Amino acid sequence: MINLANKYRPRAFQDVVAQGYVKQILLNQLETGEIKHAYLFCGGAGTGKTTSARIFAKEVNNGEGTPIEIDAASNNGVENVRDIIEDSKFKSLDSKYKVYIIDEVHMLSTGAFNALLKTLEEPPTGTIFILCTTDPQKIPATIMSRVQRFDFTRISIDDIVSQLEYILESENEEGASYDYDIEALRFIAKLANGGMRDAITRLEKVLDYTDYITVQEVADALGTPDYETFVNLTKTILSNSTSEALKLLDEFHMSGKDLKLTMRNYTNFLVDVCKYFLTQDLGFTNLPDHLEDDLAEIKDSTEYSLLLWMLEEMNSLNSTIKWEPNAKPIIEAQILLMTQED
């Protein structure tokens, strides 16, 4: 299968999902010719920073030339930046502007930032620098004051779902035969945590596993936690059903799951349960929509203080078993203590 993230990477600003104010300002600058010499694109992974930088580089040069892309994670020294500075002094031969896109710019060393500073302050004519970062707090203030900053927001679940639907329908028009549940796409969108690239990459992994996308197929393909079992474990602990809780734990163990990872995942699940208890909105969680009836049942039959107590106990357990080679007895002991009758 062709890489879907590359195949469906936006080629124009109208194709970029979300980021409305960023697109509008950049389009206005292109229309008026008020091009800045240095930009800083900040935001989480997969929110469109590098893609927008490439689109802007293409538009500002009317499709001519190719931007010079540098990965600061592997070219972060003073000499690397000095090479960029020296090269920037020469005018582009095939386009109006010479555009440098420096990705993960926060990885530059202090010396490299200092070397870049003067060039950003007085850039050569016809040169544009677009700095991209997921970690803007690591950018020196002296650099920040010399660039125009744009903050890329995380993409909403609805926008991600719409894009995943578009991709699947487009693939079907080209001869594929994918079938899908919207809830499954929403589950993928939640797992992507606001990153479109991550969502598409996860979708591609699921498609390598099956042509019919359901929540269960997504869970199987991506190796997500067994949320139904987590629901049952929560209910058994709350009802002090020690034997049932121990049976569930043994099933995890016999299935080959890493119990330490399982307990960390269960702790994250409890965080989501608490969030649902307070908001009654699954949109604030990473849980699939079909769990809502179970969560509503837990909410209606449980005091919030009990959920917080469980969360505190699991946090303590995770710290205790972190370096234990055989964590099962300790986890079992914790379950015994948590399910004892008053």
Side-chain angles (χ1 to χ4, degrees), residues 34-249:
E34 295 293 329
I35 309 300
K36 312 305 177 186
H37 66 271
Y39 298 85
L40 177 65
F41 290 177
C42 311
T47 52
K49 303 181 301 299
T50 304
T51 294
S52 295
R54 291 171 179 169
I55 294 172
F56 187 74
K58 181 187 73 172
E59 295 294 332
V60 79
N61 281 319
N62 296 314
E64 298 177 345
T66 303
I68 302 165
E69 296 193 32
I70 297 128
D71 177 17
S74 53
N75 299 278
N76 58 5
V78 175
E79 289 304 318
N80 300 120
V81 171
R82 284 176 178 166
D83 290 341
I84 296 171
I85 294 170
E86 194 61 31
D87 181 68
S88 70
K89 296 176 182 177
F90 299 97
K91 190 180 185 304
S92 174
L93 298 177
D94 57 1
S95 60
K96 180 178 180 181
Y97 294 98
K98 180 179 280 189
V99 182
Y100 292 88
I101 300 174
I102 306 180
D103 214 357
E104 301 300 333
V105 70
H106 62 273
M107 298 293 287
L108 290 181
S109 67
T110 301
F113 273 124
N114 289 336
L116 185 62
L117 185 60
K118 187 65 174 177
T119 300
L120 291 181
E121 190 172 33
E122 298 177 4
T125 302
T127 301
I128 299 172
F129 288 92
I130 305 178
L131 316 179
C132 301
T133 179
T134 56
D135 212 350
Q137 62 267 27
K138 292 183 179 179
I139 310 295
T142 50
I143 296 291
M144 298 285 270
S145 66
R146 289 163 173 80
V147 298
Q148 187 171 79
R149 173 174 174 168
F150 291 89
D151 289 291
F152 286 65
T153 60
R154 293 193 182 278
I155 302 170
S156 73
I157 291 173
D158 288 341
D159 283 339
I160 291 177
V161 169
S162 295
Q163 184 67 5
L164 296 184
E165 277 194 279
Y166 167 75
I167 290 172
L168 289 170
E169 294 300 335
S170 297
E171 291 296 299
N172 285 342
E173 289 176 5
E174 294 181 12
S177 54
Y178 298 130
D179 197 3
Y180 57 89
D181 292 338
I182 289 295
E183 184 187 354
L185 299 188
R186 286 186 62 82
F187 189 27
I188 294 174
K190 286 184 176 184
L191 295 174
N193 195 29
M196 182 62 75
R197 183 180 62 245
D198 190 19
I200 297 173
T201 300
R202 288 172 187 266
L203 173 65
E204 189 169 359
K205 186 176 180 181
V206 175
L207 294 179
D208 287 338
Y209 179 70
T210 180
D211 289 345
Y212 182 47
I213 309 169
T214 66
V215 171
Q216 186 59 54
E217 301 294 346
V218 170
D220 291 343
L222 301 182
T224 59
D226 184 349
Y227 292 116
E228 283 76 11
T229 304
F230 282 173
V231 167
N232 291 334
L233 180 59
T234 303
K235 290 180 179 179
T236 58
I237 292 175
L238 289 171
S239 62
N240 292 320
S241 302
T242 306
S243 61
E244 290 301 317
L246 291 175
K247 285 179 184 177
L248 289 173
L249 184 64

